Amino acid sequence: MSNLFDIPLPALLGQLLLGLVNGSFYAMLSLGLAVIFGMLNIINFAHGALYMMGAFVAWMGLEYLGLNYWAMLLLAPLVVGVLGILIERLLLQWLYKLDHLYGLLLTFGITLVTEGIFRSFYGVSGQPYPVPDALQGATNLGFMVMPNYRGWVVIASVVVCLAVWALIEKTPIGATLRAGTENPKLVQAFGINVPRMITLTYAGGVALAAFAGVLAAPILQVNALMGSNLIIVVFAVVVIGGMGSILGSILTGLGLGVIEGLTKVFYPEASATVVFLIMAVVLLIRPAGLFGKEK
């Protein structure tokens, strides 16, 4: 068996794959956060709770309605997106002209309420969610054996992230969204309903979180705290990539996941803190983040 730095190659590649899977979740969640912050100027601390809700909606669809994984991969983001519309229209729309702290406190409160509700009904032990039949088993790549579902998670995450980036950066719809955040009065003068556009943007951002939650359900135990265990790292990813930077969130999320996986191989004690150490270094050198724009 070949070694690299006295570490068996299969073990190293296994950790790299695990890091890439984690990076896929970081990328999708930080992408949703970046979209919401970049377009709405709101720090959405409820993102982790809505990620958890996406996983729970998938689990409830299977448990109570018999809807399979593929159906819930489409339905769960729609359900959470509708909830996002209600949150934005009833609560967040009043905070756009206020300091960021108000939005942060409100969404933190939403997180506590949401987690409390799910914890009271389902506890914290977690609910199992099966891997769909089509993605069970593993594929021998020659240099390692890759679980099919984890490979699917990476591919699906990258495709969705790149599609969202292309939509926002390369299409007329994305140009309208960006213009609506920069100069809403001018965009409204052209007959575009800016408040509705902002509402749909928030719904789309939280739908991305729910999509990530459905992808995570077969890998993790579906539980009320799965979002809070992840959201702090995701915020660090967003800060490193640059607040509001779409491409920065994607690349930084995937890259930091891989770095975290390698750290578990070479120095496991630092794996829980390596992202925050990188964040501290980046902020010292470039306060706007790697892909952020200085103001």
Side-chain angles (χ1 to χ4, degrees), residues 22 65 67 95 106-107 142 253 285:
N22 289 338
L65 302 176
L67 298 174
L95 304 180
L106 175 61
T107 53
I285 298 172

Side-chain angles (χ1 to χ4, degrees), residues 9-27:
L9 191 57
L12 179 61
L13 293 174
Q15 284 298 328
L16 273 175
L17 175 62
L18 182 60
L20 195 56
V21 171
N22 289 338
S24 299
F25 292 125
Y26 296 162

Side-chain angles (χ1 to χ4, degrees), residues 70 130-137:
W70 302 107
V131 173
D133 293 339
L135 297 174
Q136 289 186 0

Side-chain angles (χ1 to χ4, degrees), residues 2 34 69 99 105 110 120 123 150 155 159 186 214 223 235 247:
S2 58
Y69 170 86
D99 189 270
L105 290 174
I110 292 171
S120 65
R150 283 170 167 73
I155 293 170
V159 169
L186 179 61
V214 180
N223 68 86
F235 267 107
L247 186 60

Side-chain angles (χ1 to χ4, degrees), residues 63-116:
E63 185 74 11
Y64 301 134
L65 302 176
L67 298 174
N68 64 18
Y69 170 86
W70 302 107
M72 296 315 299
L73 200 60
L74 298 175
L75 290 177
L78 290 176
V79 171
V80 176
V82 170
L83 178 63
I85 291 174
L86 295 176
I87 291 173
E88 196 279 335
R89 284 288 84 197
L90 297 176
L91 301 171
L92 291 179
Q93 67 163 323
W94 312 108
L95 304 180
Y96 295 144
K97 296 182 180 179
L98 302 179
D99 189 270
H100 293 314
L101 181 61
Y102 292 95
L104 179 62
L105 290 174
L106 175 61
T107 53
F108 180 65
I110 292 171
T111 297
L112 295 179
V113 171
T114 304
E115 289 182 350

Side-chain angles (χ1 to χ4, degrees), residues 118-144:
F118 279 92
R119 190 166 59 242
S120 65
F121 279 99
Y122 299 105
V124 294
S125 58
Q127 310 291 337
Y129 191 88
V131 173
D133 293 339
L135 297 174
Q136 289 186 0
T139 300
N140 191 342
L141 301 178
F143 54 88
M144 68 174 293

